[in-house]
Amino acid sequence: MHSAMSALRIGQIKLSPGPVQARFELNKKYIMSLTPMNLLRSFYLEAGLWSYSGNGGTTAASTTSMDGPEQWHWGWESPTCELRGHIMGHWLSAAARIYAQTEDMLVKAKADHIVGELAKCQEANGGEWLAAFPQTYMHRIANGKYVWAPHYTVHKLLMGLHEMYAIAGNLQALEIMKGIAAWFFRWTGRFSREQLDELLDLETGGMLEAWADLYGITGSEEHLELIRRYDRRRFFDALLDGQDVLTNKHANTQIPEILGAAKVYEVTGDERYRSIVEAFWKCAVTARGYLCSGAGDDGELWMPAGEMSARLGAGQEHCVNYNMMRLSHTLLRWTGDAVYGVYWERRFYNGVLAHQHGENGRISYFLGLGAGSTKTWGSETGHFWCCHGTLMQANASYEPMIYMQEEGGLAVCQWIPSTVSFKQGGAEIGIRLEQDGQHGVYPMNNWSVAGMTNITRVDIPPIPVHRPDALVYKLTVAANEDSRFSLRLRMPWWLREGAVIRVNGILQPGICNPSAFYEIERMWSSGDTVDVELPKGVTAEPLPGDQDIFAFVDGPVVLAGLVGEERRLIGDAADPGSMLTPDRERNHGWWMFGSYRTIRQERGFRLIPLFEVKDEEYTVYFPVEQAGGQQYGV
């Protein structure tokens, strides 16, 4: 299988100090706060390696316990919940990625210890079965009795084990996966194709992806057969037939299966699976459209194509957000088409960052975009929703999309401050991507030495008088020898008036088209620099299905009005400046990105980035009426 781009090994890309790395570190701190005993408790319970009576088994014993129920994980991880154990897989995936990026041996030691304990549980279960729930759950669903998504939960565990092996180098994790696969190979061998099709309609999560991951490592015929058995033909064939099998269906049920199809294509080269993935993207994104955040779902269901105005209820689900980002990453690798980087960027700023509390790292399951929305934050150990798990992974996985390697060089796919190292021919190349938060704006910017310097020294070039309408970057090359290669820069969809690009101070020719790559091919030397200025502005994006209702987007960032009800605005949607003006543009040593207030309205209010909203009521979409009373779309 040929890809236009290839992902770099995790660890080759490092986040640089700054607001995005701070979010990463907030997630790391939370990951490390969860104890092995609580993560493993239900696995121990199922394997007969732990029990709890509360008082030592005698009426005379104390009822006080240092490890009583008040210390345990509850919500969807409680010992009484059928979905228990799913967080273990998310945790292992996040830990593997955090370790690979930071080389923090405390993270590695904790994750390795947990894998070792899982191996003990598997051995106690007979050497194959491993889950936080009994095998009887699988037999119950085979007999037509409802159980809450046992396949889904096992997939999370398998994914975590795979990433502990593939990313963190834990060989024991692979052996555990093989044992689980042996159990499922024997169990599924008793079913007819029709019976398997019935089972696959019960939210199997990414089991297909797990078997493809395993087959990619082992090449085992047994693991290839599991791929065949977990091929959800009813769904896949309908997609290939051009049917809309998504509208009003549970959105995140299908995406992991499509990620599985993508992985099967990559390990087998079977073109049918690539066609399935492409048909899904067309149905879920291209033909359906999406909200300003990139979401095509609300309340866990796919919304009707182009008709979303009546569906701004619970809001987008983070599991959908994260898995669609994973899919866009895959499609960017396959095609090299910048449109997939565009989609990922929307989902990153207005999904991953907006679902995470910027101060304490807590997690929001849904993200409403309707009038009077609020974010509901899960507790650290009391909820453990599915989205709790995907946010743990997402906030450990910013870096894979920043750079991609190509046959002729490197592509910068996301504008996130970072460093990357790679080989080009015989040369060792390093690139440092920095963002200037003084001559340009910087999402989530805060106190920094650069900002402090600019407000204390008068003998340096001044910064702009008012908040700039551009994002400004510098790329610096390091190389052990001169090397010719192509550096391709993704131009954002929100780009206004063309980018300004300079190499070693020399203005570069050509047109920088939005949603495309701008290529610089030359002989690069250590110390070469590329300065990039990306002009932006506030745009008004119509709500699919209601063309006189708009959301305001500042560059890549959705703005949220701090009001608890719908407000009709008077102005020109083609000129958001007729309704909005910069507000509180600078705080101490940094520019306030995305801070605006309304003007010339009956009642004014402020707007801030959606990812900055914490406990406030907010509204994203607003009816806009042209002066004179005319509505848009009429």
Side-chain angles (χ1 to χ4, degrees), residues 105-276:
M105 292 306 297
L106 285 176
V107 177
K108 178 79 159 77
K110 185 171 183 175
D112 284 345
H113 166 73
I114 287 174
V115 170
E117 293 302 293
L118 288 171
K120 291 179 184 176
C121 292
Q122 186 179 49
E123 183 180 1
N125 289 332
E128 292 181 349
W129 175 258
L130 178 65
F133 52 82
Q135 300 175 35
T136 53
Y137 280 19
M138 306 307 301
H139 302 319
R140 281 164 56 185
I141 62 170
N143 291 326
K145 297 180 180 179
Y146 180 79
V147 182
W148 189 10
H151 268 122
Y152 171 95
T153 307
V154 172
H155 161 245
K156 299 307 177 189
L157 177 61
L158 286 166
M159 184 179 188
L161 289 167
H162 173 256
E163 299 206 333
M164 279 300 297
Y165 168 76
I167 297 172
N170 186 299
L171 302 181
Q172 194 172 29
L174 177 60
E175 296 308 310
I176 297 173
M177 287 184 72
K178 290 178 181 177
I180 297 172
W183 189 94
F184 276 90
F185 180 78
R186 190 171 59 257
W187 180 69
T188 54
R190 70 184 71 172
F191 303 126
S192 66
R193 183 69 250 175
E194 184 177 354
Q195 289 172 314
L196 283 170
D197 288 342
E198 291 292 322
L199 282 172
L200 296 182
D201 279 342
L202 299 174
E203 195 173 358
T204 51
M207 292 295 286
L208 181 61
E209 182 183 15
W211 303 141
D213 282 334
L214 190 56
Y215 174 71
I217 298 166
T218 66
S220 164
E221 181 62 32
E222 190 171 291
H223 300 150
L224 181 60
E225 178 59 24
L226 280 169
I227 288 174
R228 298 188 187 106
R229 293 176 186 176
Y230 277 81
D231 183 320
R232 193 181 173 200
R233 299 181 187 182
R234 287 177 178 172
F235 175 46
F236 292 169
D237 289 349
L239 281 173
L240 292 173
D241 197 38
Q243 300 177 36
D244 176 6
V245 285
L246 299 183
T247 299
N248 291 330
K249 299 298 182 182
H250 186 217
N252 196 50
T253 292
Q254 294 95 6
I255 312 167
E257 294 172 328
I258 297 301
L259 288 165
K263 187 66 178 183
V264 175
Y265 167 63
E266 292 183 345
V267 299
T268 68
D270 187 335
E271 290 288 339
R272 170 176 173 266
Y273 290 96
R274 177 164 179 156
S275 297
I276 289 165

Side-chain angles (χ1 to χ4, degrees), residues 11-12 41 81 89 99 127 187 242 245 273 315 342 374 395 399 402 404 439-440 447 460 483 485 512 529 538 629:
Q12 288 181 257
R41 190 177 306 279
C81 178
Y99 164 68
W187 180 69
V245 285
Y273 290 96
V342 165
T374 56
N395 285 297
E399 91 299 338
I402 303 176
M404 296 272 197
H439 298 86
W447 189 93
I460 59 176
S483 177
F485 63 89
C512 302
T529 60
V538 177

Side-chain angles (χ1 to χ4, degrees), residues 20 290-295 316 321 341-354 367 413-416 435 441-444 468-473 490-496 534-539 541 551-560 593-594 596 608-611 620:
V20 174
Y290 46 75
L291 302 173
C292 56
S293 64
Q316 68 189 41
N321 188 80
V342 165
Y343 184 87
W344 192 97
E345 183 182 47
R346 277 189 188 264
R347 290 289 207 169
F348 174 67
Y349 283 107
N350 311 301
V352 173
L353 297 181
L367 184 67
C413 302
Q414 298 297 330
W415 296 95
I416 297 175
Q435 185 163 8
V441 287
Y442 191 168
M444 303 184 296
D469 258 350
L471 280 74
V472 178
Y473 302 91
R490 182 183 66 83
M491 296 293 102
W493 57 273
W494 44 261
L495 186 64
R496 189 182 66 177
L534 303 174
K536 68 166 186 64
V538 177
T539 57
E541 294 191 2
F552 297 102
V553 185
D554 188 16
V557 175
V558 170
L559 302 180
F593 190 108
Y596 294 85
I608 64 174
L610 181 59
F611 60 65
V620 170

